Amino acid sequence: MKLLRYGPVGQEKPGLLDAGGRIRDLSGHVADLGAAEISREGLAKLAAIDPETLPLVEGTPRYGVPVAGTRKFLAIGLNFADHAAESNMPIPAEPIFFTKAVSCLQGPNDPVMIPRGSEKTDWEVELGVVIGTRASYVTEAEALDYVAGYCTINDVSERAYQLERGGTWDKGKGCDTFGPVGPWLVTTDEVGDPQDLAMWLEVNGKRVQDGSSRTMIFGVARLVSYLSEFMTLEPGDIITTGTPPGVGMGQKPAPWYLKAGDVITLGIEKLGEQRQQVIAYAPDGGAAA
């Protein structure tokens, strides 16, 4: 299934994408797509519904984050060997993880806002993993059983805040609008092997990232197992798993970064595409969840 949430900010309704690529309204069956709905039992109930019996949603409504109630937004750094090389950083012996503020979560096509004073706002197409079952100290062999599905993520980053201002990476990763997620949560049965998905990103029509989840240093199963050693993963938690090369920081002959007016388009095989207009900082231009 391709599950989604659609509608204005704060008023999203649950839905799914049918075989013809049309949005169907699920609100007659569930109030939202949260922890209960993306559990194993919840997904089984949704899978039993014939999409043709659901009301068709007319027009082209806004997509929201495809899962509601996320409490942790966890991210993995330097998880592609070629991206580590372009960043002039060693390949990690263990996964590097940090947090993105849940307040940066927003729909896949909502604008990305440059933070006040930023000169190094960057892009990163990433494979997102949505936890469906509470996971604590799970083995790598069983880890994928705890995953509800996958999604496309743009791990927007401010490099000066991340790398030049001391402390942890988090301060350059959780700015408002820095977490576009979606358009859909695609259940594991439709995705198959998460380590064989093409990934791409363009800025103003120029292809800058063109990679595959095949080249991840630590695969999804390893990451879920690893993170569950340090914290309990809960239904609705999102893990964003690292990016292939081609970020602004690694551009040759010199780095270049996002500016107001730019357009970012990105996608992952089977998981859908995103499009964001980059806008200048505005005090009232906070994230749209």
Side-chain angles (χ1 to χ4, degrees):
M1 291 180 291
K2 293 181 175 69
L3 299 173
L4 56 95
R5 297 170 68 243
Y6 68 95
V9 177
Q11 302 175 44
E12 292 88 352
K13 293 182 177 181
L16 60 76
L17 204 71
D18 68 17
R22 299 165 297 184
I23 297 176
R24 299 281 181 162
D25 182 13
L26 275 171
S27 59
H29 294 265
V30 293
D32 209 339
L33 293 173
E37 291 77 23
I38 65 169
S39 67
R40 293 167 187 156
E41 297 78 10
L43 290 177
K45 290 178 181 178
L46 293 176
I49 300 170
D50 179 359
E52 296 298 320
T53 66
L54 298 172
L56 187 64
V57 178
E58 301 293 344
T60 55
R62 167 189 172 269
Y63 285 105
V65 179
V67 62
T70 296
R71 297 178 64 186
K72 292 191 289 295
F73 190 10
L74 305 173
I76 306 300
L78 301 176
N79 197 29
F80 287 69
D82 34 13
H83 172 56
E86 74 173 352
S87 303
N88 296 314
M89 295 182 181
I91 294 175
E94 293 189 36
I96 296 172
F97 78 85
F98 54 92
T99 61
K100 288 178 71 78
V102 293
S103 57
C104 81
L105 287 167
Q106 65 169 24
N109 303 320
D110 294 337
V112 165
M113 184 173 65
I114 303 286
R116 185 171 63 183
S118 166
E119 295 182 354
K120 295 183 179 181
T121 296
D122 206 345
W123 58 83
E124 297 188 28
V125 59
E126 302 203 1
L127 169 63
V129 179
V130 180
I131 299 298
T133 302
R134 188 176 185 272
S136 178
Y137 295 105
V138 301
T139 67
E140 189 169 341
E142 64 184 348
L144 295 186
D145 293 338
Y146 292 79
V147 175
Y150 303 96
C151 54
T152 301
I153 293 179
N154 188 356
D155 175 21
V156 186
S157 309
E158 211 299 336
R159 301 302 188 187
Y161 298 177
Q162 175 190 357
L163 301 171
E164 300 171 19
R165 298 186 62 173
T168 64
W169 288 6
D170 303 52
K171 66 182 69 173
K173 292 287 190 171
C175 303
D176 290 349
T177 76
F178 273 24
V181 178
W184 320 303
L185 165 63
V186 185
T187 52
T188 57
D189 58 302
E190 281 203 17
V191 175
D193 183 3
Q195 305 309 148
D196 190 23
L197 301 173
M199 310 166 64
W200 61 270
L201 184 145
E202 296 179 352
V203 179
N204 299 330
K206 178 182 179 180
R207 182 68 58 100
V208 289
Q209 290 190 275
D210 201 350
S212 169
S213 61
R214 288 193 303 271
T215 62
M216 288 168 59
I217 298 168
F218 305 105
V220 172
R222 171 69 170 132
L223 294 175
V224 172
S225 174
Y226 185 83
L227 289 171
S228 79
E229 295 179 23
F230 300 97
M231 65 193 77
T232 297
L233 302 176
E234 300 168 302
D237 287 350
I238 299 173
I239 304 167
T240 188
T241 59
T243 195
V247 300
M249 182 174 62
Q251 293 296 310
K252 307 298 182 187
W256 55 277
Y257 298 101
L258 296 168
K259 62 185 185 303
D262 287 343
V263 175
I264 314 165
T265 52
L266 61 145
I268 299 179
E269 182 182 1
K270 301 181 182 180
L271 304 184
E273 300 181 3
Q274 303 183 353
R275 181 186 186 277
Q276 296 113 28
Q277 180 88 25
V278 180
I279 61 174
Y281 170 77
D284 59 351

